[in-house]
Amino acid sequence: MDVKDSNGNLLSDGDSVFLIKDLKLKGSSTVLKRGTVYKKIRLTDNPEEIEVREGKGTLVLKAAFLKKA
């Protein structure tokens, strides 16, 4: 299973990525700002999604809105 970022670069567990667009979280008033860096990503079973740690919780983000750092 190949997970690719917005530019087509392959992502793997432990990579660092950053957001290319402001994203509003579903069910919350929180907005994730463009340029935010997430380190040590984890791949999911879905090739379009990855998991990142945000504080004490985990977020699932679409790979189409990420760029490899």
Side-chain angles (χ1 to χ4, degrees):
M1 161 176 71
D2 293 336
V3 178
K4 296 184 180 183
D5 68 359
S6 61
N7 290 339
N9 297 323
L10 288 177
L11 298 174
S12 59
D13 282 336
D15 283 346
S16 295
V17 296
F18 63 92
L19 291 173
I20 60 168
K21 179 181 176 180
D22 287 350
L23 298 176
K24 183 170 175 7
L25 289 180
K26 250 185 191 176
S28 173
S29 61
T30 306
V31 176
L32 302 176
K33 295 293 184 180
R34 184 177 120 200
T36 304
V37 177
Y38 294 103
K39 298 177 182 177
K40 297 182 182 177
I41 65 169
R42 287 183 292 175
L43 303 180
T44 62
D45 293 335
N46 186 344
E48 297 177 358
E49 298 176 345
I50 64 161
E51 289 183 353
V52 296
R53 300 278 296 166
E54 176 73 22
K56 293 185 179 181
T58 302
L59 298 175
V60 177
L61 301 174
K62 295 269 186 182
F65 299 117
L66 302 171
K67 185 176 177 183
K68 192 171 185 176

